[in-house]
Amino acid sequence: MSLFANVVARDLRLALRQRGDAVMVVLFFVLAAMLFPFAVGPEPNLLARLAAGVIWVTALLAVLLSLERLFLADFEDGSLELLVLAPGPLSLTVLAKVLAHWLTTGLPLIAAAPLIALLYNMDVSALPVLALAMLLGTPSLSLTGAVGAALTLGARRGGVLVPLLVLPLYIPVLIFGVAAIDATLAGLSARPHLLFLAAIFLVMLVVAPLAAAAALRQAVE
Amino acid sequence: MNMHRFANPGRFVRLAERILPWSGALAVLALAAGLYLSLFVSPADYQQGDSVRIMYVHVPAAWMALFVYTVIAAASASALIWRHPLADLVARASAPVGAGFTFLALATGSLWGKPMWGTWWVWDARLTSVLVLFFLYLGHMALSNAFDDQSRGNRAAAVLALVGFVNVPIIKFSVDWWSTLHQPASVMRLDGPTIHPSMLWPLLVMAVGFKLYYVSIMLLRVKSEVMAARLRARSMAAVEAT
Amino acid sequence: MEQVQTFLAMGGYGIFVWPAFALTAVILIGLLVTTLHRLHALQNDLSRLHDPRPAAAPAHMPEARP
């Protein structure tokens, strides 16, 4: 467990030192969401209807942009080999890195989401469900993304490959994330959608660290 | 690259050469019979008219799209768990064929949808899941070709195929769920659960033809992969000898 | 002649039915052709390399064209 805590602390320290990373993710999130009113027009009712979808899609893309730094720096400076050779299960180390990644991307995104909801004139009553849905959904994004990031280490055109590998797998999170908010706005229960988000999270919590660990072993072989 | 890795593939190539004449001939036979049955013998649907004939290529293609992905996942699992030297090659050889079937299912579905639904595309649950499956295939192919070291690409693609396989039911389920939330006003089901025998037979013959075609092409492609691996091993040996 | 025309018309659905079958043919045959092309190219490359083990490189495969 100490290795786990060490990896989390180290990655957080690195992320905080280059403060740019987390800030850039949030900045991208807000900027990309800001583009839609220019594209579809400023009509408040239309924007309110689009709000949930825009928040989720831009959050997916923001997470996608941040995936590269998950393993690439460690891979290039050789510290990934040390992590792979370290005693204890590698999947636990992957989980630690994913946790650090989520703390520096998912969490800031959740904090920034109400701002976009406000700009999009979304009903305030849906804000708690929005936060809860993102709290359940964004860890799955980090977990799935870790698999994509690990698989493309050392690949030609790794940067363009990751979206192709990861975005199709993000679709379920997008569907239930938006559906939870839409249900709340329609006066229905968001519970089933939130439960599905939780189920997807649990599945990925098991699958993703194993797959990413296998991929990392291949990368340093 | 030691030669014992190819002892097994060598035997496979000999086996493939014995199967190929049969599978190839039967595939041609079944496809020809299926074509004849679906264009001449089977009746026009009382609702959909002659456009129902598109079903005889659309449905087998869609079945194959799923079947080939299952084959890839099974091959990937045995490549990762038992390190079977051929399994990698089967997955690698199957992916473009599966992508071809998936594209075919999408394109013929679109050609069928235009007269039936009035548009080339609807965000129907089935069409949407097949579209996602197409992207899973493309990702698999791109990843397996993204490395200078071929075997690294194969193993990375194997991990991706397994992760994808776990996700396929989740994606399918979520897309079904999503589509019932946003049901278009009147969507006509393309293929109901009940189908008249006069239409079932052409469909089954065609499906058998597609499957035999896949087996033949897959064997040919695995043979190519074995040869490519031999070629790499030999040119590496030549470099080391000089 | 008239029979051929009604057959080609497919009850008015000809412009959808025929492209569907044509596309199927194009993809199935296209995959076969590229597969065979690659196989022959590899066979040539292998036989061109000097090979001390003749059994490992089959010289000719007549059944490669089903």
Side-chain angles (χ1 to χ4, degrees):
Chain A
M1 210 53 204
S2 74
L3 180 67
F4 185 87
N6 278 342
V7 171
V8 175
R10 172 177 162 277
D11 276 22
L12 283 180
R13 228 174 15 247
L14 281 175
L16 287 180
R17 200 180 303 152
Q18 311 150 350
R19 213 163 301 137
D21 283 350
V23 175
M24 279 309 286
V25 168
V26 172
L27 211 58
F28 171 84
F29 182 50
V30 178
L31 254 174
M34 199 193 78
L35 292 177
F36 284 87
F38 294 113
V40 300
E43 205 236 312
N45 285 334
L46 177 67
L47 290 183
R49 225 178 78 71
L50 288 178
V54 168
I55 290 173
W56 270 105
V57 169
T58 44
L60 294 190
L61 297 177
V63 170
L64 198 65
L65 279 185
S66 69
L67 288 175
E68 197 179 40
R69 70 179 148 90
L70 201 49
F71 299 114
L72 194 61
D74 287 346
F75 177 67
E76 280 170 348
D77 70 12
S79 44
L80 191 64
E81 275 179 59
L82 294 178
L83 286 175
V84 171
L85 293 174
L90 180 56
S91 45
L92 211 59
T93 312
V94 170
L95 209 56
K97 290 193 77 75
V98 170
L99 178 61
H101 175 264
W102 179 76
L103 287 173
T104 53
T105 51
L107 215 51
L109 288 180
I110 296 173
L115 175 68
I116 296 175
L118 202 78
L119 290 174
Y120 272 72
N121 201 25
M122 195 169 102
D123 200 80
V124 188
S125 63
L127 280 184
V129 174
L130 171 68
L132 196 56
M134 288 190 80
L135 203 62
L136 290 167
T138 48
S140 309
L141 302 183
S142 292
L143 283 163
T144 314
V147 181
L151 282 173
T152 51
L153 284 177
R156 296 188 297 259
R157 311 172 311 240
V160 252
L161 254 180
V162 173
L164 183 57
L165 305 187
V166 164
L167 280 181
L169 305 179
Y170 277 180
I171 291 171
V173 174
L174 174 64
I175 289 174
F176 289 115
V178 174
I181 298 157
D182 281 351
T184 314
L185 290 175
L188 300 166
S189 165
R191 210 178 123 84
H193 310 285
L194 294 173
L195 285 176
F196 283 125
L197 280 176
I200 293 169
F201 170 56
L202 290 178
V203 171
M204 289 322 287
L205 192 63
V206 176
V207 173
L210 288 174
L216 289 182
R217 271 199 204 92
Q218 295 172 0
V220 300
E221 244 172 38
Chain B
M1 284 275 173
N2 47 356
M3 283 317 280
H4 89 262
R5 278 176 66 91
F6 299 123
N8 203 353
R11 207 182 316 145
F12 172 84
V13 167
R14 281 194 295 283
L15 184 68
E17 276 160 12
R18 218 168 310 148
I19 297 173
L20 266 169
W22 293 97
S23 65
L26 285 174
V28 170
L29 218 64
L31 286 176
L35 205 60
Y36 175 72
L37 288 174
S38 53
L39 287 179
F40 294 96
V41 178
S42 82
D45 188 72
Y46 74 98
Q47 260 183 327
Q48 307 189 16
D50 280 304
S51 79
V52 77
R53 298 186 200 280
I54 296 176
M55 173 183 78
Y56 302 122
V57 286
H58 171 75
V59 171
W63 283 345
M64 288 312 290
L66 279 173
F67 176 76
V68 175
Y69 200 81
T70 314
V71 170
I72 291 176
S76 300
S78 60
L80 288 175
I81 298 167
W82 297 293
R83 305 219 159 224
H84 195 284
L86 274 171
D88 267 344
L89 303 184
V90 170
R92 188 182 167 72
S94 298
V97 188
F101 283 130
T102 315
F103 175 77
L104 199 55
L106 286 171
T108 53
S110 182
L111 282 166
W112 198 4
K114 180 63 183 167
M116 288 304 107
W117 293 332
T119 59
W120 296 106
W121 183 265
V122 288
W123 289 93
D124 159 76
R126 287 182 193 215
L127 267 71
T128 310
S129 339
V130 175
L131 183 65
V132 177
L133 183 65
F134 184 58
F135 281 111
L136 291 181
Y137 271 117
L138 291 188
H140 185 272
M141 284 161 65
L143 186 64
S144 68
N145 289 316
F147 296 90
D148 294 323
D149 175 13
Q150 179 89 81
S151 60
R152 166 87 212 279
N154 288 348
R155 275 175 296 142
V159 173
L160 181 71
L162 287 182
V163 173
F165 195 64
V166 172
N167 271 279
V168 161
I170 300 176
I171 293 172
K172 177 84 182 94
F173 176 77
S174 59
V175 169
D176 283 347
W177 180 277
W178 162 81
S179 130
T180 49
L181 286 180
H182 306 265
Q183 192 59 260
S186 68
V187 170
M188 191 172 156
R189 284 256 63 95
L190 281 183
D191 37 358
T194 53
I195 177 168
H196 194 265
S198 63
M199 290 182 173
L200 187 61
W201 274 110
L203 185 62
L204 288 180
V205 171
M206 209 60 148
V208 168
F210 270 54
K211 195 154 282 185
L212 285 165
Y213 169 87
Y214 163 66
V215 169
S216 313
I217 285 280
M218 197 265 282
L219 289 175
L220 284 172
R221 294 181 79 93
V222 172
K223 202 168 124 185
S224 291
E225 295 296 337
V226 171
M227 288 182 147
R230 252 182 218 162
L231 203 59
R232 276 196 302 275
R234 206 146 295 169
S235 51
M236 242 151 76
V239 168
E240 278 161 17
T242 51
Chain C
M1 198 58 213
E2 207 174 294
Q3 272 177 323
V4 176
Q5 261 168 0
T6 50
F7 176 66
L8 287 180
M10 281 283 163
Y13 291 117
I15 49 161
F16 303 109
V17 174
W18 293 116
F21 279 84
L23 194 69
T24 309
V26 165
I27 286 181
L28 295 195
I29 293 171
L31 268 170
L32 179 69
V33 167
T34 50
T35 302
L36 287 178
H37 191 261
R38 172 143 188 264
L39 190 63
H40 287 308
L42 283 165
Q43 275 169 350
N44 286 340
D45 285 356
L46 262 181
S47 58
R48 217 179 299 141
L49 276 175
H50 175 66
D51 184 15
R53 289 169 303 272
H60 186 60
M61 273 146 221
E63 73 278 14
R65 215 183 280 274

